[in-house]
Amino acid sequence: MMILSGDPPRSRVLTLVLVLIILALAATPFLFPGAKALNVAAKICVFAALVASYDLLLGYTGSVSFAHTMFYGIGSYAIAIALYGMGPNWAAVATGIVIGLPLAALLALAIGLFSLRVAAIFFAMITLAVASAFQVLASQLSWLTGGEDGRSFQLPELLRPGTVLVSKSLFGFEINGRILTFYLVFAISALMILALLRVVNSPFGRVLQAIRENRFRAEALGFRTVFHLTYANCLAALVAASAGILNALWLRYAGPDTSLSFSIMLDILLMVVIGGMGTIYGAIIGATIFILAQNYLQSLMGVASTAASEAGLPLLPGLLHPDRWLLWLGLLFIASVYFFPTGVVGRLRKAGGDKNAGASH
Amino acid sequence: MTELAATDPLPKPKRDIAPILLPVALALLMIPLIGSTSSWLTLTAASLAMGMMIFIMASGLTLVFGLMDVLNFGHGAFIAVGAYVATLVLAPFAASIQADSLWVNLAVLAPAALLSMAVSGALGLIVERVLILPVYGQHLKQILMTTGGLIVAEQTLYALWGPQIIPMPLPTSLRGSFILGDVAIAKYRVLAMLIGLAIFIAIQLVLNRSKLGLLIRAGVENREMVEALGYRIRRLFLGVFMTGSALAGLGGVMWALYREQVHASMSDDLTVLIFIVVIIGGLGSIGGCFIGAILVAMVANYGGFLVPKLALVSNILLMVAILMWRPRGLYAVTSR
């Protein structure tokens, strides 16, 4: 239990589901051949870490930030610009990390000091405004960021698909640079999630929960709430920027649509709430459900939409159109905020008979 | 301390005029910077018109937040819905829109705007009953619920109207400008200014001079007390929410005409602008919201003219500056 920081899933079904997800992700290169499956698996890894870091804010401190994609974007762009400008070598990767992470942390510090002090309710609005300004800035500074086109770049030799590490004749599977990159993404995401689990189960994490439940009481107990909230904000930003770095490395590209847009912010929000706020495990479940739906629900909806239009039903073809999948997830989102405020994880824990299951809010 | 006789009127609270002077000072400061008086006048008129339109959209949000303590992140949905409803009315009457008579044009525009307000107000009723009612007093859930509502509304608009941009031409008589000497002021901007000003005055009068306004303000101060006096505060607040939604719908129609196009995600950028206005004004203050809207529009117009590169982040800079000066916004109404 050391590795889980004394916070096991506390539900048999949940444990089973988590083990299945993690095993499936780990074995994707061998179980599901094809580029699409590997892409989906890598995206699930990146988003699980990103969503977990957002949950540190939303679920554990109760503050709604709309600037999380900004930090994600800073990470993505930092590595992309470094690799684009300096060429595909490890020095560029290091430069991107050394510039991106502190930049994200500094910005989080500035936003935290500025807006967490003013009023709790301002925080959501101010982060929304700052994030939108940053998005405009990123698309306008095209000499640096490539504007709307973003930046494509080459990876260092070792991580390229052409680099064969273990040839097919040895085990029947070819291990190339692409698969190495996938395991890099998988391992670092897993490490970040375990680290976040460590953070939320530390005394610091308990203070965050205390602030969420009753800020004034936490203040009265002598905790400097602004300090704790800002610290949590910086930690979340650091993880988000790291997830951005991983995402850019995987895609070999960083652009406004893949790393900065407001719709990614909404995706993250949906994943946290559907998975379960206030549980790091919820991030894994939420990211898996959402990204599988995003990639496979659409084709299902396409079939349903065609069937509905052939049956001559009004309206339904439009509502079931593959591009409208977000509509149904939005409805699911509202329903889960209302009926299952603790998300999938909270539900499963309750079903497992755990009395103090899920966070109470 | 001087004694007050029983018949003396109560001492009036001091009027805080510094925020009112702020846009005036900003405008005057810009004269030498811009150099030419005619461009300055045109820019100022544009700022006022844009500010009034933003005010109409933001006033609904500020009413809902200030009076009901509801954070509606889905406010932008009402704006888009209002604009789309107007296209339904205006499409079959294209001929009347093309007609070169102000009265014929207005005879089509006015029902379109009223219908938009009615539909977005009715939508507000549904949203309040379905989404907001279960989460009164819980800010986090309000934000989540209304954000979910925004996603659903935007996707439904896409499903019903498709993803393309719908053109929404200005009526013929509202095109062009009034020419005063060497200053050109667009006609539609004048109309927008008049409507915005009328709505501002109407809201102020209702809130400050009517029994309804008295009840609303009392309900904000102490809900239980007003309920104990026998007034149905729930129904009152529902009315406030519907009014806020209807105003957003009207703002949506006006903005669509200003831009001459309608799009399902047209409210995305506006939402950010509106939040900035509401924050600058002080949450819940109609007067602050009015000044905030004009300031935001001024910064956008003057900034766009003087330093186009800076204009992109000028709103944020304005917000930061105002919050440094008054951390709770220009007029702090609520203690929240």
Side-chain angles (χ1 to χ4, degrees), chain B residues 290-304:
Chain B
F290 187 72
I291 297 172
I294 291 177
L295 278 176
V296 162
M298 277 182 166
V299 168
N301 278 294
Y302 294 140

Side-chain angles (χ1 to χ4, degrees), chain B residues 30-41:
Chain B
M30 285 300 149
I31 301 179
L33 281 179
I34 290 172
S36 123
T37 326
S38 63
S39 348
W40 177 79
L41 271 173

Side-chain angles (χ1 to χ4, degrees), chain B residues 48-50 52-53 56 187-197 254 258:
Chain B
L48 287 177
M50 187 180 162
M52 297 291 182
M53 278 188 275
I56 292 174
K187 288 179 186 168
Y188 183 66
R189 286 182 180 155
V190 177
L191 181 74
M193 270 189 258
L194 290 177
I195 295 176
L197 208 56
M254 292 177 64
Y258 180 60

Side-chain angles (χ1 to χ4, degrees), chain B residues 17-315:
Chain B
I17 59 163
I20 303 173
L21 293 177
L22 197 60
V24 180
L26 185 66
L28 292 178
L29 186 75
M30 285 300 149
I31 301 179
L33 281 179
I34 290 172
S36 123
T37 326
S38 63
S39 348
W40 177 79
L41 271 173
T42 311
L43 283 174
T44 308
S47 311
L48 287 177
M50 187 180 162
M52 297 291 182
M53 278 188 275
I54 296 173
F55 166 72
I56 292 174
M57 293 183 259
S59 63
L61 193 68
T62 213
L63 275 179
V64 167
F65 184 82
L67 300 180
M68 301 159 63
D69 192 21
V70 169
L71 263 179
N72 182 10
F73 269 71
H75 196 67
F78 299 118
I79 297 174
V81 167
Y84 270 99
V85 170
T87 62
L88 282 185
V89 180
L90 294 181
F93 292 100
S96 315
I97 289 293
Q98 303 300 325
D100 195 14
S101 150
L102 182 62
W103 297 114
V104 174
N105 289 166
L106 286 183
V108 183
L109 268 190
L114 287 177
L115 186 74
S116 294
M117 289 178 77
V119 171
S120 46
L123 186 68
L125 176 85
I126 299 170
V127 167
E128 204 267 0
R129 291 280 114 167
V130 177
L131 294 185
I132 314 256
L133 194 58
V135 292
Y136 267 110
Q138 299 160 278
H139 280 147
L140 177 64
K141 283 195 176 180
Q142 283 167 6
I143 295 177
L144 296 176
M145 283 288 227
T146 50
T147 307
L150 178 70
I151 298 174
V152 172
E154 207 173 289
Q155 294 296 320
T156 312
L157 286 178
Y158 274 125
L160 294 177
W161 271 275
Q164 69 276 20
I165 293 173
I166 301 174
M168 190 162 171
L170 257 183
T172 316
S173 57
L174 289 176
R175 291 180 173 282
S177 327
F178 296 114
I179 310 284
L180 306 166
D182 56 351
V183 185
I185 293 174
K187 288 179 186 168
Y188 183 66
R189 286 182 180 155
V190 177
L191 181 74
M193 270 189 258
L194 290 177
I195 295 176
L197 208 56
I199 284 178
F200 173 62
I201 293 169
I203 295 177
Q204 287 289 34
L205 283 181
V206 169
L207 275 186
N208 296 324
R209 300 258 192 259
S210 73
K211 186 176 175 195
L212 190 67
L214 189 71
L215 279 178
I216 293 173
R217 285 182 295 141
V220 176
E221 284 295 325
N222 192 334
R223 196 174 171 143
E224 285 80 14
M225 180 60 84
V226 181
E227 259 166 0
L229 289 172
Y231 296 102
R232 290 194 211 174
I233 199 91
R234 294 258 346 97
R235 194 166 287 185
L236 205 62
F237 279 5
L238 177 61
V240 171
F241 195 88
M242 287 174 67
T243 312
S245 320
L247 283 173
L250 174 66
V253 180
M254 292 177 64
W255 192 263
L257 281 169
Y258 180 60
R259 284 285 149 100
E260 304 200 44
Q261 64 181 38
V262 180
H263 189 246
S265 28
M266 65 182 271
S267 57
D268 288 3
D269 299 337
L270 285 173
T271 307
V272 173
L273 217 55
I274 288 169
F275 278 142
I276 292 178
V277 165
V278 172
I279 294 173
I280 288 180
L283 297 169
S285 155
I286 287 290
C289 174
F290 187 72
I291 297 172
I294 291 177
L295 278 176
V296 162
M298 277 182 166
V299 168
N301 278 294
Y302 294 140
F305 180 81
L306 290 172
V307 227
K309 280 276 170 201
L310 196 68
L312 303 161
V313 284
S314 58
N315 288 320

Side-chain angles (χ1 to χ4, degrees), chain A residues 18-29:
Chain A
L18 283 170
V19 168
L20 274 179
I21 291 176
I22 292 164
L23 284 182
L25 285 176
T28 305

